[in-house]
Amino acid sequence: MIAPPSPQRPEFLRPLDVRDVDGARPAEPLDISVVIPLFNEKESIGELYERVLAALLPITERCEILFVDDGSTDGSFAALRALHEHDPRVRVIRFRRNYGKTAGLVAAFERCHGEVVITMDADLQDEPAEIPKLLAKVAEGYDVVSGWKQERRDPLSKTLPSRVFNWVVASSTGLPLHDVNCGFKAYRREVTTELTLYSEFHRFIPVLAAWRGFRVTEQAVQHNPRKYGASKFGTMRFVRGLLDFLKVLFIMKYLQRPLHFFGPGGAVMFLVGFALGIDLTADKVIHHVSIGTRPLLTLAVLLMVMGVQLFSLGLLGEMLRNFAYRSTAEFSIKQVLE
């Protein structure tokens, strides 16, 4: 039998001014939402549910577990449906096909009601008993707490590329996280409602959150060996991760000023081409040298045309940005006193 909701709010959850995307408060905001995207993890679902609930109930009964079935074909949804019928705190989102982890998180973030959102994988490698450690960091005032699999239980083929990737991300962004791609994280709800996620940006949520001004930290967590099945991510994830990281860097630096990215290169190209054109013109006028067949003439024209095109791209970017302007995307408000 399901226990009635506790009238007392946990002390570590300070009141938040939580708003949904449309600006309305949920009718009954919960304390914690646990979001678990999955793909073909039928064997682990029951055990994962029990372990997550065992970690949550000593903290609060005002909680929910939101599973996202990302197009599973192994009967995972039947197991999730059974859990939902047994316990209304279990909610399920089912995709028509496999869309990827970022899509799963976005769908869950738009529908969860917790003031603190925990994300974790469904393969039992993330240890639910570590949830209180993440919540303790949230209680210290952090907005994003990223798990750090300090002793990772994976083969070298996964750990070595991951270490290189994490080093590149930390060095390029200045965010000193050891495991930015760890799926075991805690967020204050305003983080999940403010970030724009697509492609495979789930890897870079801490980076994007820090760029928006949220406080980000990490917490060492236990990492278990995979108990059932095999990893669903192939080697191509490193290529996709690198491309997405380049997109994230571009967004962080030039989203609000595209002309600053395209303009300088275009101006330099045009000026170099123009200078070559002046030099060739001087040869033609002063020294009566034929320039029609000289390669420098072709280069000068090419550089000026490319310069104008790059500069025009920057202007088009500014026009598109003005057309799609949203004040909520320009800044992040932490608090308003009126």
Side-chain angles (χ1 to χ4, degrees):
M1 184 175 179
I2 301 171
S6 172
Q8 299 296 325
R9 297 173 60 79
E11 293 182 359
F12 64 82
L13 289 172
R14 61 181 176 85
L16 299 176
D17 186 15
V18 183
R19 294 290 188 274
D20 280 333
V21 176
D22 60 1
R25 286 186 68 91
E28 289 293 336
L30 302 174
D31 293 328
I32 302 173
S33 293
V34 178
V35 171
I36 307 175
L38 62 93
F39 177 66
N40 290 343
E41 297 286 358
K42 177 183 177 181
E43 296 89 349
S44 63
I45 289 174
E47 182 178 347
L48 178 62
Y49 160 75
E50 294 176 355
R51 289 166 62 177
V52 169
L53 210 58
L56 291 178
L57 290 183
I59 302 170
T60 178
E61 293 174 350
R62 297 175 54 81
C63 59
E64 64 179 354
I65 306 174
L66 183 52
F67 290 94
V68 183
D69 180 5
D70 192 13
S72 297
T73 57
D74 68 340
S76 292
F77 181 69
L80 294 173
R81 183 197 292 274
L83 284 179
H84 171 69
E85 293 174 351
H86 167 72
D87 186 348
R89 289 173 294 197
V90 175
R91 301 170 61 208
V92 183
I93 299 171
R94 186 186 189 187
F95 284 168
R96 296 183 185 277
R97 64 171 178 85
N98 182 257
Y99 285 95
K101 190 172 183 178
T102 299
L105 291 178
V106 170
F109 289 164
E110 291 176 348
R111 291 163 176 81
C112 63
H113 298 140
E115 293 184 352
V116 175
V117 180
I118 306 288
T119 62
M120 61 189 308
D121 295 335
D123 54 13
L124 297 176
Q125 290 195 269
D126 294 334
E127 178 53 61
E130 300 283 70
I131 289 177
K133 292 183 180 179
L134 302 181
L135 295 176
K137 285 292 185 180
V138 173
E140 294 177 13
Y142 291 100
D143 302 301
V144 179
V145 184
S146 181
W148 172 19
K149 295 171 285 192
Q150 199 167 10
E151 297 183 9
R152 189 167 177 176
R153 309 294 185 178
D154 282 323
L156 187 63
S157 60
K158 292 184 66 176
T159 57
L160 182 59
S162 180
R163 288 179 181 177
V164 174
F165 179 76
N166 286 316
W167 178 82
V168 170
V169 173
S171 301
S172 303
T173 63
L175 187 63
L177 297 182
H178 294 85
D179 195 0
V180 69
N181 193 30
C182 178
F184 199 12
K185 293 182 174 70
Y187 309 91
R188 292 192 181 275
R189 179 160 171 76
E190 57 260 42
V191 178
T192 66
T193 58
E194 282 198 23
L195 295 185
T196 301
L197 304 176
Y198 57 93
S199 187
E200 296 189 9
F201 278 14
H202 66 272
R203 296 184 177 92
F204 307 106
I205 293 179
V207 176
L208 294 169
W211 172 60
R212 293 284 289 175
F214 292 106
R215 296 187 63 196
V216 179
T217 189
E218 66 181 358
Q219 170 63 49
V221 294
Q222 178 181 333
H223 188 240
N224 302 320
R226 174 175 274 274
K227 190 172 183 179
Y228 304 105
S231 174
K232 310 302 188 298
F233 297 97
T235 55
M236 281 300 296
R237 73 184 187 277
F238 299 116
V239 177
R240 295 193 298 267
L242 176 61
L243 295 176
D244 282 331
F245 181 54
L246 294 177
K247 286 191 288 186
V248 167
L249 288 180
F250 178 81
I251 287 172
M252 291 171 59
K253 293 181 181 296
Y254 299 107
L255 177 66
Q256 298 175 334
R257 42 181 182 157
L259 186 59
H260 289 201
F261 178 77
F262 295 102
V268 169
M269 284 186 176
F270 180 84
L271 291 174
V272 172
F274 186 76
L276 289 175
I278 292 295
D279 182 64
L280 291 170
T281 301
D283 281 348
K284 175 70 175 179
V285 173
I286 298 174
H287 302 292
H288 305 288
V289 176
S290 176
I291 63 173
T293 58
R294 295 182 64 177
L296 276 181
L297 179 62
T298 303
L299 178 62
V301 173
L302 181 63
L303 286 174
M304 285 192 288
V305 171
M306 291 179 62
V308 171
Q309 288 180 329
L310 275 178
F311 203 86
S312 298
L313 279 177
L315 292 176
L316 286 173
E318 294 287 350
M319 292 170 64
L320 289 172
R321 181 179 177 276
N322 183 71
F323 177 76
Y325 177 84
R326 292 181 298 117
S327 62
T328 55
E330 299 298 308
F331 45 78
S332 178
I333 296 177
K334 182 175 183 179
Q335 190 176 12
V336 177
L337 301 179
E338 295 179 329

